Structure formats: structure tokens, C-alpha cells
Amino acid sequence: EDWKAHTNNQRLNEIKDMFPYAFNLSSGINSIVKSITERTAEIEIATLAIRLISILNNNKKKNNVLIVCDYGQTYALFIRYKIEMLFAAELNIIDVIPAYYLENTLKKKEKIDLIISTSITDDLKKIKTIVVSPIINDNDVRKIRKFLQNCEI
């Protein structure tokens, strides 16, 4: 029972941190519902927030992203997985390539809104680029979130 409460609190805090807008919107909806029914638990508000994020993101255009990784296929796949896990609603991964394919890839690919790269090269000056660690740490996630908050497609 204690473990379940701890897990719910951890999930609740993650949702509050990752989706503050949706959580606040859900809390506002809760105020309306509360005036009609009994008090709704915060975890139910968090569940509503996740549903709202899903609804809001279904109508949102995704940013086209190219991932450039020079640390081998294992790290490249890890970066792709982590980006998809964290930003599936906002980012559309076009391809994952090593840096030496970058010039040819940029010639062939249509529109790329963002490059997420483990290294800096001269070819990256043309397109908004976020340089990340091959393990995508919290600082990298913040940089990507900042880009998403500030970008206009």
C-alpha cells in the first residue's frame, strides 16, 4: 500500500513537472467539477492532464528532427529511443545518421526544423542545432524543451 502511494506521488510529481500547463488546466476543470461533486484527488487531475496533453498534441504539427550521432549505432539508437519516449508528441524523427552523412542527407531531406547532434560540424550552422550528450541527460532535455517552447513552425 505504501509503495503504491509512493509510486502515485512520484508519477504525480513527474506529470506536474513535465506538463505544468495541462496540469493547471486540469486543476481549473477540477474546480468546476468540484463545485458539482466531491473533491477530486490530485492523481485524478494528473490523469486528466495526460488526456488533455494527448488531445492538445493531436492537433499540433510536429517538428522534423534529424539526429546526428558519432558514437556508433548503440548510442544512436539510445538517443532515438529517449527522444521518442520524451518528445513523441512534438518531434518527428526523420533519420538518425553519423556526421559524415550529414551533408548528403541535408541535400536529400525536405524540411528539417531541428538537428539534435552529439557533435558540432560546419554543416550544422544552417539549421537550428542542439548539441547533446550521447546519453541525453537532464540538461539536454531542458534544451530541447526550451526549443519546443520557443519555436514557431
Side-chain angles (χ1 to χ4, degrees):
E1 191 70 32
D2 287 339
W3 179 81
K4 187 176 181 181
H6 173 72
T7 302
N8 282 343
N9 285 339
Q10 185 179 5
R11 189 175 337 121
L12 172 64
N13 290 334
E14 287 175 7
I15 292 168
K16 282 181 174 180
D17 290 343
M18 291 176 67
F19 310 110
Y21 173 76
F23 190 85
N24 289 336
L25 186 61
S26 300
S27 187
I29 292 170
N30 179 54
S31 297
I32 296 167
V33 171
K34 192 165 104 176
S35 67
I36 300 168
T37 63
E38 293 181 28
R39 181 170 153 32
T40 305
E42 268 195 323
I43 194 70
E44 292 171 8
I45 295 171
T47 302
L48 181 57
I50 293 298
R51 289 179 191 246
L52 284 171
I53 286 293
S54 176
I55 291 167
L56 294 171
N57 285 331
N58 281 340
N59 296 325
K60 195 175 176 183
K61 187 174 186 295
K62 294 182 180 185
N63 289 279
N64 289 326
V65 176
L66 178 64
I67 297 175
V68 179
C69 178
D70 277 338
Y71 287 88
Q73 187 175 10
T74 301
Y75 281 103
L77 292 174
F78 177 77
I79 292 169
R80 179 184 194 122
Y81 166 76
K82 189 117 183 213
I83 297 296
E84 285 176 340
M85 185 179 76
L86 294 170
F87 301 103
E90 296 100 339
L91 300 177
N92 174 40
I93 298 174
I94 293 179
D95 206 350
V96 180
I97 61 167
Y100 59 87
Y101 283 170
L102 184 59
E103 187 178 345
N104 286 337
T105 302
L106 291 176
K107 290 177 186 174
K108 294 176 188 174
K109 299 293 178 185
E110 342 49 78
K111 183 177 184 253
I112 298 173
D113 300 304
L114 174 67
I115 294 175
I116 297 175
S117 177
T118 57
S119 59
I120 300 172
T121 69
D122 289 338
D123 292 325
L124 297 178
K125 293 178 182 172
K126 302 169 193 156
I127 298 173
K128 173 66 180 161
T129 302
I130 298 173
V131 178
V132 297
S133 157
I135 57 168
I136 307 287
N137 58 40
D138 290 341
N139 187 45
D140 299 327
V141 171
R142 278 192 292 278
K143 288 190 283 188
I144 296 168
R145 283 198 199 288
K146 185 176 180 181
F147 167 83
L148 291 170
Q149 289 170 351
N150 295 328
C151 77
E152 302 258 340
I153 304 176

